Every structure is written in C-alpha cells, then in structure tokens.
Amino acid sequence: EAGVAQSPRYKIIEKRQSVAFWCNPISGHATLYWYQQILGQGPKLLIQFQNNGVVDDSQLPKDRFSAERLKGVDSTLKIQPAKLEDSAVYLCASRPLGEGDQETQYFGPGTRLLVL
Amino acid sequence: DQQVKQNSPSLSVQEGRISILNCDYTNSMFDYFLWYKKYPAEGPTFLISISSIKDKNEDGRFTVFLNKSAKHLSLHIVPSQPGDSAVYFCAARGGADGLTFGKGTHLIIQP
C-alpha cells in the first residue's frame, strides 16, 4: 500500500513570496490533516478535512494560509505572503474513517520550507 | 501553553538496556494517547497507543503505561536496539480529532 505522498520535499523562498504544497493521502482515507512542525517543536495541527469539508481550522492563520481538498482526495496548502516564521516542515497525514477508538494517523515525509 | 510535555529533549541508553521515555499532559479531556517515532527527513510513524480506559498496552518490545491520576504516560523499550535511535513524540487526542504533540525526545542507543 502506497503511503502519503507530498511534494515538493524542499522549498526555499524569500519573504512575501507565495508557496504551495501538495499532498496525496493514502487511497481511501477520508480524513486528511496538515501539520506545521517548527524546528525543535512537535507537529502542530493547522487544518483537518473530512472528505472535501473542513472539520477544524481553528489553528490556521487564515490571513496568509489557505488549504483546499476540492475532490476529497488530494489537498493543497498555500502560504501567501510568506513570513520568516513560516520556516518549518509541513506534514500531511491521513486516516481512514471507521477505525473506532484508534487515532492512527499516517504521515507523509513532509515539505521542508525555508523562508529567507 | 503546552498541553503535552516531554521534559527530556534527549536520552542516551546502552544497547540491550531498557529505554524509558516520559510524557506529561495537562488536559483532562484527552482520551487517547499515542507514541510516534521519527527518523531524520521522514514523517512520524505510528508506534503504539493506549486508550484512557486502560493503564497498559504492550506490543513486542514496546510497552506504554498510563497513569491518569498523575496525567503521565511512559514508553518502555526493552531491549533497546541501535535502530531505535530516533526522535519519539508523545501525542494526545481529546474532543477534536487532531492530535496534540509534545516536543519530542531524541533517543540515542549506544553500542
């Protein structure tokens, strides 16, 4: 079974530029998450989708960050304009519905963003 | 305010001995706890979990203990192997579906 795919793996941009990240979850996984992991910290949830609907975006800085999952499969996360403090690894994770008590999220390799 | 705390940034253990990684939490609403393992340049991979209705869960060399009254959980790895060297994240779920992670503990297994 293929894992969660993310691209690009690395991105370097200057502040005030725009950037977009792409995620392809595991086939059949209805729930998709985007996390931000700043160096030395644990991952922090930015947004959660179930199919193509947003479940939780309470920690997403909506003035500059946006995300969509139009067809309920792939997702894109965009930052516009980027700030220095956005330098981080952006992780995508997915989980199937109906796992009962389990909350096993499967993570992709992440996109490492450096804002100069 | 950190709701999940891993107070040891790093831990060094000799190969073959027991590794004990600790995690404390403050939110009483957390009902499910997980440990993830992360190698450099890879995403976190699920290791083991425990529901708040249990106090122990075991999977091979890995055992997680939960002390609800102390709001404390620990991960035991016995025996420790060189491939266990990685960063270990404690995570918790409560209410909302997303996970709250600690800062991680870098485990180093020495030969």
Side-chain angles (χ1 to χ4, degrees), chain B residues 7 17 55 58 107:
Chain B
N7 291 320
R17 307 292 287 266
D55 56 17
E58 195 171 348
L107 177 64

Side-chain angles (χ1 to χ4, degrees), chain B residues 3 5 10 18 36-37 39 41-43 52 56 61 68 70 73 76-77 79 87 90 99 106:
Chain B
Q3 298 187 67
K5 299 178 184 178
S10 66
I18 182 171
Y36 279 82
K37 176 179 178 179
Y39 293 118
E42 295 183 13
S52 60
K56 178 182 174 181
R61 297 186 298 113
K68 280 187 66 178
L73 64 156
H76 292 211
I77 306 173
V87 177
C90 173
L99 298 175
H106 186 192

Side-chain angles (χ1 to χ4, degrees), chain A residues 9 33 42 48 95 103 105 108, chain B residues 32 34 36 41 43 89 97 102:
Chain A
R9 292 296 308 275
Y33 311 82
Q48 176 190 344
R95 181 175 73 88
E103 177 60 21
Q105 297 181 16
Chain B
Y32 204 78
L34 307 90
Y36 279 82
F89 289 98
D97 206 21

Side-chain angles (χ1 to χ4, degrees), chain A residues 9-10 31 33 35 37 40-45 48 50 55-56 89 91 95 100-110 112, chain B residues 2 31-32 34 36 38 40-46 49-53 87 89 92-93 96-104:
Chain A
R9 292 296 308 275
Y10 305 92
T31 308
Y33 311 82
Y35 288 85
Q37 185 179 11
Q41 307 285 323
K44 184 185 90 169
L45 179 68
Q48 176 190 344
Q50 186 162 307
V55 174
D56 181 7
V89 176
L91 294 162
R95 181 175 73 88
D101 221 18
Q102 277 222 327
E103 177 60 21
T104 304
Q105 297 181 16
Y106 300 87
F107 284 82
R112 185 175 297 273
Chain B
Q2 264 197 293
D31 62 357
Y32 204 78
L34 307 90
Y36 279 82
K38 187 180 183 304
E42 295 183 13
T45 55
F46 171 73
S49 62
I50 188 167
S51 166
S52 60
I53 62 173
V87 177
F89 289 98
R93 181 197 74 182
D97 206 21
L99 298 175
T100 301
F101 284 83
K103 289 186 176 182

Side-chain angles (χ1 to χ4, degrees), chain B:
Chain B
D1 179 35
Q2 264 197 293
Q3 298 187 67
V4 176
K5 299 178 184 178
Q6 294 178 257
N7 291 320
S8 299
S10 66
L11 175 66
S12 184
V13 175
Q14 205 166 10
E15 182 180 356
R17 307 292 287 266
I18 182 171
S19 294
I20 300 176
L21 294 94
N22 293 303
C23 177
D24 296 294
Y25 62 95
T26 57
N27 190 338
S28 301
M29 297 299 293
F30 288 145
D31 62 357
Y32 204 78
F33 303 90
L34 307 90
W35 285 94
Y36 279 82
K37 176 179 178 179
K38 187 180 183 304
Y39 293 118
E42 295 183 13
T45 55
F46 171 73
L47 197 56
I48 192 169
S49 62
I50 188 167
S51 166
S52 60
I53 62 173
K54 296 182 178 178
D55 56 17
K56 178 182 174 181
N57 188 26
E58 195 171 348
D59 183 3
R61 297 186 298 113
F62 303 92
T63 303
V64 57
F65 296 92
L66 175 62
N67 182 333
K68 280 187 66 178
S69 61
K71 293 191 177 66
H72 176 84
L73 64 156
S74 61
L75 173 69
H76 292 211
I77 306 173
V78 182
S80 300
Q81 298 175 356
D84 297 330
S85 294
V87 177
Y88 289 78
F89 289 98
C90 173
R93 181 197 74 182
D97 206 21
L99 298 175
T100 301
F101 284 83
K103 289 186 176 182
T105 296
H106 186 192
L107 177 64
I108 302 161
I109 305 301
Q110 295 184 333

Side-chain angles (χ1 to χ4, degrees), chain A residues 24-85:
Chain A
N24 188 347
I26 293 173
S27 178
H29 281 197
T31 308
L32 184 148
Y33 311 82
W34 282 102
Y35 288 85
Q36 179 194 57
Q37 185 179 11
I38 293 172
L39 188 64
Q41 307 285 323
K44 184 185 90 169
L45 179 68
L46 291 176
I47 189 168
Q48 176 190 344
F49 291 94
Q50 186 162 307
N51 296 310
N52 61 350
V54 175
V55 174
D56 181 7
D57 64 356
S58 57
Q59 298 191 85
L60 187 74
K62 298 180 187 65
D63 57 335
R64 298 184 300 106
F65 286 65
S66 64
E68 59 183 15
R69 194 185 183 199
L70 291 175
K71 296 182 179 179
V73 181
D74 294 5
S75 177
T76 55
L77 176 70
K78 296 179 183 177
I79 308 175
Q80 180 179 12
K83 292 185 176 181
L84 297 177
E85 58 261 36

